[in-house]
Amino acid sequence: MAGNRQLIQQNRKKRAYTKLAYRLYLPIMAAAVQLGGCSLAVPEAGSEVGGDRLIGAFITQEYLDLYDMESFFQDHARQLTGKTQLSHTDLAGYQTKLFASVQKNNSDSPFDWKVTFPGTEGICFFSPLWQDEYGGEYQGSVFDPMICEVDKVLHTTDEGESLELKGTIYQTPKAGSGEGLRFYLNPVYQTPQGDIYLTSGTGCSVRQADHEISEQEQMTSSLADERKLKENGKIKTEKSSVTVKLGVMYEVVKVTFCQMDAGHQVLKEETYDPKDVPDQLDTQPGTAYILSETEKISPSGKRMVTREVYENRGEGADQLESFQTMENGVALRREIAVKWKDS
């Protein structure tokens, strides 16, 4: 009987612990969206000499819970009350790391790598360091095709280096859902040994009010970090930042390429389902420019057409841009090589 009473008391304590954990954890989950609310988020890694470097972000549509809450409450449950609300700063020491699985495909260059994070789905947008066979160090790129309008800038001075990544993700609002669009910007780091991992990030959203979201609406979320390095007895500073815009793009339903001559006459017209757009477009002799038309449909069923003009400048290969709306609502950017033929 005494053993049974002890077991009952342990179970009661466990239930009370679980209720406390749940009550304190909910405000943190809500803050995960609000804190990122498209304001600057600054991780706290790398303030000391050495350490891991922020190399970009892994963008997800769902919040990644990587906090060891069980350990936190085991350490602090007695000091917490039902009125206490926790912040990310309180939990900093309980943030766990999700290490990437890297398939290098027999290449030392990140351009050829396939990087995934087990158990998650998202968009890679980071620039890891790598060394060639001669020991030279380079800043590579692991950018998924869902990242549009990419701008990568690397500054090098005697005082150190700075890496700036900028890009845009386009999402399609769901018809009749009333839901807004959101993503989470999860920081990605690289260790001095070359390992890549991520930590939990904050959210950014475009809210859908009573009116329909327009394609002009955008929100921005950013990360920034810096670390100190000692090189030949001198302290240098390495800074990293990543900025991602969340843009709205209506569902793409049809893509048309019109090959036009110098007199603005149609030489050839081809219409495709977005998923069937070819990787290469061969032009007719005498093609002066290509008119690209993209037909979209808004959540309310309104159709619209956007147009782009690509001129034949006689400078070799060109590329057209096309988009395909995927099942998760994210727009996949496609590049179509153009092979211009002589008149």
Side-chain angles (χ1 to χ4, degrees), residues 61 64 76 84 89 93 115-116 135 144 151 219 228 247 253 263 270 279 293 314 339:
Q61 292 180 305
L64 297 183
H76 301 283
T84 301
T89 301
V115 182
T116 58
D144 281 339
D151 184 18
M219 297 295 281
K228 304 292 185 180
V253 295
E270 297 172 294
D279 295 329
E293 294 186 343
K339 187 175 181 181

mmCIF file with all atom_site columns, all heavy atoms in Angstrom, residues 61 64 76 84 89 93 115-116 135 144 151 219 228 247 253 263 270 279 293 314 339:
data_model
loop_
_atom_site.group_PDB
_atom_site.id
_atom_site.type_symbol
_atom_site.label_atom_id
_atom_site.label_alt_id
_atom_site.label_comp_id
_atom_site.label_asym_id
_atom_site.label_entity_id
_atom_site.label_seq_id
_atom_site.pdbx_PDB_ins_code
_atom_site.Cartn_x
_atom_site.Cartn_y
_atom_site.Cartn_z
_atom_site.occupancy
_atom_site.B_iso_or_equiv
_atom_site.pdbx_formal_charge
_atom_site.auth_seq_id
_atom_site.auth_comp_id
_atom_site.auth_asym_id
_atom_site.auth_atom_id
_atom_site.pdbx_PDB_model_num
ATOM 1   N N   . GLN A 1 61  ? 7.370  26.697 -43.176 1.00 0.00 ? 61  GLN A N   1
ATOM 2   C CA  . GLN A 1 61  ? 6.008  27.202 -43.031 1.00 0.00 ? 61  GLN A CA  1
ATOM 3   C C   . GLN A 1 61  ? 5.427  26.874 -41.662 1.00 0.00 ? 61  GLN A C   1
ATOM 4   O O   . GLN A 1 61  ? 4.379  27.391 -41.294 1.00 0.00 ? 61  GLN A O   1
ATOM 5   C CB  . GLN A 1 61  ? 5.120  26.631 -44.136 1.00 0.00 ? 61  GLN A CB  1
ATOM 6   C CG  . GLN A 1 61  ? 5.475  27.142 -45.526 1.00 0.00 ? 61  GLN A CG  1
ATOM 7   C CD  . GLN A 1 61  ? 4.585  26.559 -46.616 1.00 0.00 ? 61  GLN A CD  1
ATOM 8   O OE1 . GLN A 1 61  ? 4.459  25.351 -46.750 1.00 0.00 ? 61  GLN A OE1 1
ATOM 9   N NE2 . GLN A 1 61  ? 3.949  27.427 -47.384 1.00 0.00 ? 61  GLN A NE2 1
ATOM 10  N N   . LEU A 1 64  ? 9.474  25.412 -35.839 1.00 0.00 ? 64  LEU A N   1
ATOM 11  C CA  . LEU A 1 64  ? 10.329 24.307 -35.430 1.00 0.00 ? 64  LEU A CA  1
ATOM 12  C C   . LEU A 1 64  ? 10.623 24.428 -33.940 1.00 0.00 ? 64  LEU A C   1
ATOM 13  O O   . LEU A 1 64  ? 11.323 25.344 -33.509 1.00 0.00 ? 64  LEU A O   1
ATOM 14  C CB  . LEU A 1 64  ? 11.645 24.318 -36.221 1.00 0.00 ? 64  LEU A CB  1
ATOM 15  C CG  . LEU A 1 64  ? 11.553 24.126 -37.737 1.00 0.00 ? 64  LEU A CG  1
ATOM 16  C CD1 . LEU A 1 64  ? 12.955 24.091 -38.347 1.00 0.00 ? 64  LEU A CD1 1
ATOM 17  C CD2 . LEU A 1 64  ? 10.803 22.851 -38.075 1.00 0.00 ? 64  LEU A CD2 1
ATOM 18  N N   . HIS A 1 76  ? 13.925 24.822 -13.285 1.00 0.00 ? 76  HIS A N   1
ATOM 19  C CA  . HIS A 1 76  ? 13.349 26.086 -12.828 1.00 0.00 ? 76  HIS A CA  1
ATOM 20  C C   . HIS A 1 76  ? 11.900 25.988 -12.315 1.00 0.00 ? 76  HIS A C   1
ATOM 21  O O   . HIS A 1 76  ? 11.330 27.006 -11.955 1.00 0.00 ? 76  HIS A O   1
ATOM 22  C CB  . HIS A 1 76  ? 13.386 27.112 -13.965 1.00 0.00 ? 76  HIS A CB  1
ATOM 23  C CG  . HIS A 1 76  ? 14.763 27.398 -14.469 1.00 0.00 ? 76  HIS A CG  1
ATOM 24  N ND1 . HIS A 1 76  ? 15.652 28.209 -13.800 1.00 0.00 ? 76  HIS A ND1 1
ATOM 25  C CD2 . HIS A 1 76  ? 15.419 26.969 -15.577 1.00 0.00 ? 76  HIS A CD2 1
ATOM 26  C CE1 . HIS A 1 76  ? 16.790 28.271 -14.481 1.00 0.00 ? 76  HIS A CE1 1
ATOM 27  N NE2 . HIS A 1 76  ? 16.667 27.528 -15.559 1.00 0.00 ? 76  HIS A NE2 1
ATOM 28  N N   . THR A 1 84  ? 4.066  33.711 -14.581 1.00 0.00 ? 84  THR A N   1
ATOM 29  C CA  . THR A 1 84  ? 5.335  33.971 -15.250 1.00 0.00 ? 84  THR A CA  1
ATOM 30  C C   . THR A 1 84  ? 5.228  33.720 -16.751 1.00 0.00 ? 84  THR A C   1
ATOM 31  O O   . THR A 1 84  ? 4.664  32.739 -17.180 1.00 0.00 ? 84  THR A O   1
ATOM 32  C CB  . THR A 1 84  ? 6.440  33.054 -14.686 1.00 0.00 ? 84  THR A CB  1
ATOM 33  O OG1 . THR A 1 84  ? 6.558  33.298 -13.293 1.00 0.00 ? 84  THR A OG1 1
ATOM 34  C CG2 . THR A 1 84  ? 7.774  33.335 -15.367 1.00 0.00 ? 84  THR A CG2 1
ATOM 35  N N   . THR A 1 89  ? 15.116 34.797 -24.471 1.00 0.00 ? 89  THR A N   1
ATOM 36  C CA  . THR A 1 89  ? 16.342 35.000 -23.707 1.00 0.00 ? 89  THR A CA  1
ATOM 37  C C   . THR A 1 89  ? 16.401 34.023 -22.538 1.00 0.00 ? 89  THR A C   1
ATOM 38  O O   . THR A 1 89  ? 17.452 33.449 -22.241 1.00 0.00 ? 89  THR A O   1
ATOM 39  C CB  . THR A 1 89  ? 16.418 36.445 -23.189 1.00 0.00 ? 89  THR A CB  1
ATOM 40  O OG1 . THR A 1 89  ? 16.370 37.347 -24.299 1.00 0.00 ? 89  THR A OG1 1
ATOM 41  C CG2 . THR A 1 89  ? 17.709 36.664 -22.411 1.00 0.00 ? 89  THR A CG2 1
ATOM 42  N N   . GLY A 1 93  ? 19.732 29.026 -23.126 1.00 0.00 ? 93  GLY A N   1
ATOM 43  C CA  . GLY A 1 93  ? 20.591 27.909 -22.763 1.00 0.00 ? 93  GLY A CA  1
ATOM 44  C C   . GLY A 1 93  ? 19.976 26.550 -23.008 1.00 0.00 ? 93  GLY A C   1
ATOM 45  O O   . GLY A 1 93  ? 20.656 25.527 -22.847 1.00 0.00 ? 93  GLY A O   1
ATOM 46  N N   . VAL A 1 115 ? 21.655 19.449 -49.152 1.00 0.00 ? 115 VAL A N   1
ATOM 47  C CA  . VAL A 1 115 ? 21.631 19.636 -47.698 1.00 0.00 ? 115 VAL A CA  1
ATOM 48  C C   . VAL A 1 115 ? 20.195 19.520 -47.209 1.00 0.00 ? 115 VAL A C   1
ATOM 49  O O   . VAL A 1 115 ? 19.297 20.214 -47.693 1.00 0.00 ? 115 VAL A O   1
ATOM 50  C CB  . VAL A 1 115 ? 22.210 21.005 -47.301 1.00 0.00 ? 115 VAL A CB  1
ATOM 51  C CG1 . VAL A 1 115 ? 22.230 21.157 -45.784 1.00 0.00 ? 115 VAL A CG1 1
ATOM 52  C CG2 . VAL A 1 115 ? 23.627 21.171 -47.868 1.00 0.00 ? 115 VAL A CG2 1
ATOM 53  N N   . THR A 1 116 ? 19.957 18.636 -46.257 1.00 0.00 ? 116 THR A N   1
ATOM 54  C CA  . THR A 1 116 ? 18.630 18.462 -45.665 1.00 0.00 ? 116 THR A CA  1
ATOM 55  C C   . THR A 1 116 ? 18.744 18.455 -44.147 1.00 0.00 ? 116 THR A C   1
ATOM 56  O O   . THR A 1 116 ? 19.809 18.151 -43.593 1.00 0.00 ? 116 THR A O   1
ATOM 57  C CB  . THR A 1 116 ? 17.972 17.152 -46.130 1.00 0.00 ? 116 THR A CB  1
ATOM 58  O OG1 . THR A 1 116 ? 18.823 16.037 -45.788 1.00 0.00 ? 116 THR A OG1 1
ATOM 59  C CG2 . THR A 1 116 ? 17.739 17.162 -47.638 1.00 0.00 ? 116 THR A CG2 1
ATOM 60  N N   . GLY A 1 135 ? 43.558 23.909 -50.304 1.00 0.00 ? 135 GLY A N   1
ATOM 61  C CA  . GLY A 1 135 ? 43.425 24.594 -49.027 1.00 0.00 ? 135 GLY A CA  1
ATOM 62  C C   . GLY A 1 135 ? 42.831 25.976 -49.114 1.00 0.00 ? 135 GLY A C   1
ATOM 63  O O   . GLY A 1 135 ? 42.692 26.669 -48.104 1.00 0.00 ? 135 GLY A O   1
ATOM 64  N N   . ASP A 1 144 ? 17.800 27.196 -52.657 1.00 0.00 ? 144 ASP A N   1
ATOM 65  C CA  . ASP A 1 144 ? 16.727 26.476 -53.337 1.00 0.00 ? 144 ASP A CA  1
ATOM 66  C C   . ASP A 1 144 ? 16.063 27.384 -54.369 1.00 0.00 ? 144 ASP A C   1
ATOM 67  O O   . ASP A 1 144 ? 16.058 28.619 -54.212 1.00 0.00 ? 144 ASP A O   1
ATOM 68  C CB  . ASP A 1 144 ? 15.689 25.988 -52.322 1.00 0.00 ? 144 ASP A CB  1
ATOM 69  C CG  . ASP A 1 144 ? 16.145 24.733 -51.593 1.00 0.00 ? 144 ASP A CG  1
ATOM 70  O OD1 . ASP A 1 144 ? 17.028 24.032 -52.137 1.00 0.00 ? 144 ASP A OD1 1
ATOM 71  O OD2 . ASP A 1 144 ? 15.639 24.439 -50.503 1.00 0.00 ? 144 ASP A OD2 1
ATOM 72  N N   . ASP A 1 151 ? 20.315 38.215 -53.764 1.00 0.00 ? 151 ASP A N   1
ATOM 73  C CA  . ASP A 1 151 ? 21.425 39.162 -53.745 1.00 0.00 ? 151 ASP A CA  1
ATOM 74  C C   . ASP A 1 151 ? 22.400 38.692 -52.673 1.00 0.00 ? 151 ASP A C   1
ATOM 75  O O   . ASP A 1 151 ? 22.074 38.694 -51.487 1.00 0.00 ? 151 ASP A O   1
ATOM 76  C CB  . ASP A 1 151 ? 20.929 40.573 -53.456 1.00 0.00 ? 151 ASP A CB  1
ATOM 77  C CG  . ASP A 1 151 ? 22.052 41.614 -53.517 1.00 0.00 ? 151 ASP A CG  1
ATOM 78  O OD1 . ASP A 1 151 ? 23.110 41.298 -54.111 1.00 0.00 ? 151 ASP A OD1 1
ATOM 79  O OD2 . ASP A 1 151 ? 21.870 42.717 -52.973 1.00 0.00 ? 151 ASP A OD2 1
ATOM 80  N N   . MET A 1 219 ? 6.177  41.457 -46.575 1.00 0.00 ? 219 MET A N   1
ATOM 81  C CA  . MET A 1 219 ? 6.716  41.639 -45.233 1.00 0.00 ? 219 MET A CA  1
ATOM 82  C C   . MET A 1 219 ? 8.150  41.130 -45.238 1.00 0.00 ? 219 MET A C   1
ATOM 83  O O   . MET A 1 219 ? 8.528  40.304 -46.076 1.00 0.00 ? 219 MET A O   1
ATOM 84  C CB  . MET A 1 219 ? 5.879  40.895 -44.192 1.00 0.00 ? 219 MET A CB  1
ATOM 85  C CG  . MET A 1 219 ? 4.446  41.394 -44.068 1.00 0.00 ? 219 MET A CG  1
ATOM 86  S SD  . MET A 1 219 ? 4.329  43.090 -43.456 1.00 0.00 ? 219 MET A SD  1
ATOM 87  C CE  . MET A 1 219 ? 4.579  42.821 -41.700 1.00 0.00 ? 219 MET A CE  1
ATOM 88  N N   . LYS A 1 228 ? 34.074 37.093 -33.387 1.00 0.00 ? 228 LYS A N   1
ATOM 89  C CA  . LYS A 1 228 ? 35.452 37.577 -33.395 1.00 0.00 ? 228 LYS A CA  1
ATOM 90  C C   . LYS A 1 228 ? 36.396 36.406 -33.668 1.00 0.00 ? 228 LYS A C   1
ATOM 91  O O   . LYS A 1 228 ? 36.225 35.316 -33.135 1.00 0.00 ? 228 LYS A O   1
ATOM 92  C CB  . LYS A 1 228 ? 35.814 38.216 -32.051 1.00 0.00 ? 228 LYS A CB  1
ATOM 93  C CG  . LYS A 1 228 ? 34.887 39.347 -31.620 1.00 0.00 ? 228 LYS A CG  1
ATOM 94  C CD  . LYS A 1 228 ? 35.031 40.561 -32.507 1.00 0.00 ? 228 LYS A CD  1
ATOM 95  C CE  . LYS A 1 228 ? 34.172 41.717 -31.979 1.00 0.00 ? 228 LYS A CE  1
ATOM 96  N NZ  . LYS A 1 228 ? 34.291 42.916 -32.837 1.00 0.00 ? 228 LYS A NZ  1
ATOM 97  N N   . GLY A 1 247 ? 6.540  37.633 -50.164 1.00 0.00 ? 247 GLY A N   1
ATOM 98  C CA  . GLY A 1 247 ? 5.701  38.307 -51.142 1.00 0.00 ? 247 GLY A CA  1
ATOM 99  C C   . GLY A 1 247 ? 4.487  37.478 -51.510 1.00 0.00 ? 247 GLY A C   1
ATOM 100 O O   . GLY A 1 247 ? 4.443  36.263 -51.278 1.00 0.00 ? 247 GLY A O   1
ATOM 101 N N   . VAL A 1 253 ? -1.513 29.831 -63.681 1.00 0.00 ? 253 VAL A N   1
ATOM 102 C CA  . VAL A 1 253 ? -2.308 28.806 -64.363 1.00 0.00 ? 253 VAL A CA  1
ATOM 103 C C   . VAL A 1 253 ? -1.889 28.595 -65.816 1.00 0.00 ? 253 VAL A C   1
ATOM 104 O O   . VAL A 1 253 ? -2.187 27.550 -66.409 1.00 0.00 ? 253 VAL A O   1
ATOM 105 C CB  . VAL A 1 253 ? -3.813 29.147 -64.299 1.00 0.00 ? 253 VAL A CB  1
ATOM 106 C CG1 . VAL A 1 253 ? -4.302 29.104 -62.868 1.00 0.00 ? 253 VAL A CG1 1
ATOM 107 C CG2 . VAL A 1 253 ? -4.089 30.522 -64.915 1.00 0.00 ? 253 VAL A CG2 1
ATOM 108 N N   . GLY A 1 263 ? 9.285  43.862 -86.561 1.00 0.00 ? 263 GLY A N   1
ATOM 109 C CA  . GLY A 1 263 ? 8.075  44.605 -86.903 1.00 0.00 ? 263 GLY A CA  1
ATOM 110 C C   . GLY A 1 263 ? 6.913  44.295 -85.971 1.00 0.00 ? 263 GLY A C   1
ATOM 111 O O   . GLY A 1 263 ? 5.767  44.640 -86.284 1.00 0.00 ? 263 GLY A O   1
ATOM 112 N N   . GLU A 1 270 ? 3.676  29.809 -78.181 1.00 0.00 ? 270 GLU A N   1
ATOM 113 C CA  . GLU A 1 270 ? 3.579  28.527 -77.479 1.00 0.00 ? 270 GLU A CA  1
ATOM 114 C C   . GLU A 1 270 ? 3.007  28.775 -76.086 1.00 0.00 ? 270 GLU A C   1
ATOM 115 O O   . GLU A 1 270 ? 3.466  29.657 -75.356 1.00 0.00 ? 270 GLU A O   1
ATOM 116 C CB  . GLU A 1 270 ? 4.954  27.863 -77.363 1.00 0.00 ? 270 GLU A CB  1
ATOM 117 C CG  . GLU A 1 270 ? 5.584  27.501 -78.709 1.00 0.00 ? 270 GLU A CG  1
ATOM 118 C CD  . GLU A 1 270 ? 7.018  27.027 -78.551 1.00 0.00 ? 270 GLU A CD  1
ATOM 119 O OE1 . GLU A 1 270 ? 7.864  27.855 -78.157 1.00 0.00 ? 270 GLU A OE1 1
ATOM 120 O OE2 . GLU A 1 270 ? 7.291  25.844 -78.825 1.00 0.00 ? 270 GLU A OE2 1
ATOM 121 N N   . ASP A 1 279 ? 12.880 23.471 -70.374 1.00 0.00 ? 279 ASP A N   1
ATOM 122 C CA  . ASP A 1 279 ? 14.121 24.031 -69.830 1.00 0.00 ? 279 ASP A CA  1
ATOM 123 C C   . ASP A 1 279 ? 14.837 24.899 -70.859 1.00 0.00 ? 279 ASP A C   1
ATOM 124 O O   . ASP A 1 279 ? 15.671 25.717 -70.490 1.00 0.00 ? 279 ASP A O   1
ATOM 125 C CB  . ASP A 1 279 ? 15.053 22.908 -69.368 1.00 0.00 ? 279 ASP A CB  1
ATOM 126 C CG  . ASP A 1 279 ? 14.479 22.129 -68.192 1.00 0.00 ? 279 ASP A CG  1
ATOM 127 O OD1 . ASP A 1 279 ? 13.750 22.741 -67.394 1.00 0.00 ? 279 ASP A OD1 1
ATOM 128 O OD2 . ASP A 1 279 ? 14.744 20.914 -68.097 1.00 0.00 ? 279 ASP A OD2 1
ATOM 129 N N   . GLU A 1 293 ? 4.077  35.908 -71.270 1.00 0.00 ? 293 GLU A N   1
ATOM 130 C CA  . GLU A 1 293 ? 2.820  36.228 -70.600 1.00 0.00 ? 293 GLU A CA  1
ATOM 131 C C   . GLU A 1 293 ? 2.514  35.162 -69.547 1.00 0.00 ? 293 GLU A C   1
ATOM 132 O O   . GLU A 1 293 ? 2.528  33.960 -69.851 1.00 0.00 ? 293 GLU A O   1
ATOM 133 C CB  . GLU A 1 293 ? 1.665  36.294 -71.598 1.00 0.00 ? 293 GLU A CB  1
ATOM 134 C CG  . GLU A 1 293 ? 1.778  37.420 -72.599 1.00 0.00 ? 293 GLU A CG  1
ATOM 135 C CD  . GLU A 1 293 ? 0.554  37.554 -73.476 1.00 0.00 ? 293 GLU A CD  1
ATOM 136 O OE1 . GLU A 1 293 ? -0.236 36.581 -73.535 1.00 0.00 ? 293 GLU A OE1 1
ATOM 137 O OE2 . GLU A 1 293 ? 0.369  38.628 -74.084 1.00 0.00 ? 293 GLU A OE2 1
ATOM 138 N N   . GLY A 1 314 ? 22.022 39.654 -79.015 1.00 0.00 ? 314 GLY A N   1
ATOM 139 C CA  . GLY A 1 314 ? 23.152 39.055 -79.721 1.00 0.00 ? 314 GLY A CA  1
ATOM 140 C C   . GLY A 1 314 ? 24.368 38.851 -78.853 1.00 0.00 ? 314 GLY A C   1
ATOM 141 O O   . GLY A 1 314 ? 25.498 38.866 -79.326 1.00 0.00 ? 314 GLY A O   1
ATOM 142 N N   . LYS A 1 339 ? 17.890 29.823 -76.849 1.00 0.00 ? 339 LYS A N   1
ATOM 143 C CA  . LYS A 1 339 ? 18.889 29.627 -77.908 1.00 0.00 ? 339 LYS A CA  1
ATOM 144 C C   . LYS A 1 339 ? 18.451 30.456 -79.122 1.00 0.00 ? 339 LYS A C   1
ATOM 145 O O   . LYS A 1 339 ? 17.546 30.075 -79.865 1.00 0.00 ? 339 LYS A O   1
ATOM 146 C CB  . LYS A 1 339 ? 18.984 28.155 -78.286 1.00 0.00 ? 339 LYS A CB  1
ATOM 147 C CG  . LYS A 1 339 ? 20.117 27.846 -79.250 1.00 0.00 ? 339 LYS A CG  1
ATOM 148 C CD  . LYS A 1 339 ? 20.251 26.358 -79.491 1.00 0.00 ? 339 LYS A CD  1
ATOM 149 C CE  . LYS A 1 339 ? 21.401 26.067 -80.446 1.00 0.00 ? 339 LYS A CE  1
ATOM 150 N NZ  . LYS A 1 339 ? 21.545 24.605 -80.714 1.00 0.00 ? 339 LYS A NZ  1
#
